[in-house]
Amino acid sequence: MQSDLEKAQAEIIRVQIERFHEFYADYFKREETHAMVEYFFDRIYGLESDREWKRLALTTFQTVKHLVKDETRANIEHLMELNELTEELDADLARLLIDRHGAEHRLSVNEYRDLYCSSSSPEKRRRHLELVLANMESFYQLAHRPINAYIMKPARFMTKMLGIYPLFKTVEEGYYAVLPVTKELFESFVEEVSRREWEYLNSAFANTQT
């Protein structure tokens, strides 16, 4: 049975994904970018509720990561860092949700914004956004470096042998989601995400900017 905090965190995840779908609706509608935005805004953001993924990240991966190729290891570690900080920030918002509305409350996007503005972690929020944008860039580089087309299959085989394939699968999904996207389209997408998300963050913490 879910605890109140788990229920509230699930609601925070749901409404944040709803916000992404509103903010970036055009990219969800476009055939050439749908898989990419679904990966960045749905798949990655939902990792914190994937218990098997977290278990492998915290246990098995730590013991075998020295056997994994540098680029694969780096991509997994970036996702782990992003997931850890996402979960911490969402837990903070979940506690605010419980205090204000109760764990069963279904948030609107505007109510989510109110909770976001009331949170007390502007520096962590800034670090989180930096990680999000860096993660997007790293997946584009992964997908569009020609040699990687030849190493994905061996990497999949190796991670299956080591028992960490669910972690690599997340990287693999990102690779294929970004692969069809042209450089120009990807750059315009990241530029829009960067502009809108920094505006969203900075306006929420206007009185605490350094």
Side-chain angles (χ1 to χ4, degrees):
M1 182 179 294
Q2 281 187 315
S3 67
D4 281 353
L5 183 60
E6 288 172 331
K7 290 177 184 177
Q9 277 187 263
E11 177 58 17
I12 294 296
I13 293 171
R14 185 205 62 77
V15 73
Q16 174 72 315
I17 291 175
E18 180 182 334
R19 179 179 79 81
F20 290 143
H21 278 257
E22 286 187 9
F23 271 37
Y24 308 106
D26 288 346
Y27 291 100
F28 278 99
K29 292 174 183 175
R30 295 175 67 165
E31 182 178 354
E32 63 269 44
T33 55
H34 178 81
M36 177 181 70
V37 291
E38 190 173 65
Y39 178 76
F40 286 137
F41 295 138
D42 291 19
R43 177 73 174 105
I44 290 181
Y45 197 69
L47 283 177
E48 67 177 276
S49 61
D50 188 333
R51 293 186 178 182
E52 174 66 5
W53 199 96
K54 288 192 291 186
R55 184 189 67 77
L56 289 172
L58 293 172
T59 57
T60 310
F61 179 71
Q62 300 303 322
T63 63
V64 301
K65 64 181 181 181
H66 63 288
L67 300 174
V68 180
K69 285 186 175 294
D70 290 347
E71 188 171 37
T72 300
R73 182 174 67 249
N75 277 283
I76 292 174
E77 288 176 337
H78 290 158
L79 284 173
M80 288 167 58
E81 183 180 5
L82 177 58
N83 181 65
E84 183 179 354
L85 187 51
T86 299
E87 186 167 10
E88 179 183 345
L89 291 170
D90 284 355
D92 290 343
L93 291 184
R95 293 184 188 96
L96 282 175
L97 169 58
I98 292 170
D99 289 344
R100 293 189 181 184
H101 303 290
E104 304 287 345
H105 183 74
R106 184 177 175 87
L107 287 165
S108 68
V109 171
N110 287 336
E111 287 175 325
Y112 171 83
R113 173 67 173 176
D114 290 341
L115 294 180
Y116 183 97
C117 291
S118 300
S119 62
S120 57
S121 306
E123 290 308 317
K124 288 182 180 179
R125 287 281 171 193
R126 292 180 183 114
R127 173 58 181 158
H128 183 260
L129 181 50
E130 289 169 355
L131 286 172
V132 167
L133 296 172
N135 188 63
M136 289 179 175
E137 293 284 358
S138 71
F139 272 99
Y140 183 83
Q141 295 301 322
L142 175 71
H144 291 269
R145 190 174 298 125
I147 193 173
N148 287 335
Y150 300 97
I151 67 173
M152 293 300 286
K153 189 173 181 179
R156 184 190 312 125
F157 177 75
M158 175 62 75
T159 56
K160 283 183 176 180
M161 283 185 59
L162 297 173
I164 59 168
Y165 177 66
L167 300 183
F168 177 73
K169 183 181 178 183
T170 309
V171 174
E172 192 176 34
E173 289 169 348
Y175 171 87
Y176 287 111
V178 178
L179 190 60
V181 182
T182 65
K183 184 175 187 290
E184 293 75 16
L185 184 53
F186 180 80
E187 287 178 348
S188 67
F189 164 69
V190 172
E191 181 180 350
E192 181 174 348
V193 172
S194 179
R195 175 179 57 80
R196 297 198 69 174
E197 295 303 314
W198 279 116
E199 286 175 355
Y200 190 88
L201 189 156
N202 287 329
S203 62
F205 302 108
N207 296 326
T208 61
Q209 292 188 58
T210 57

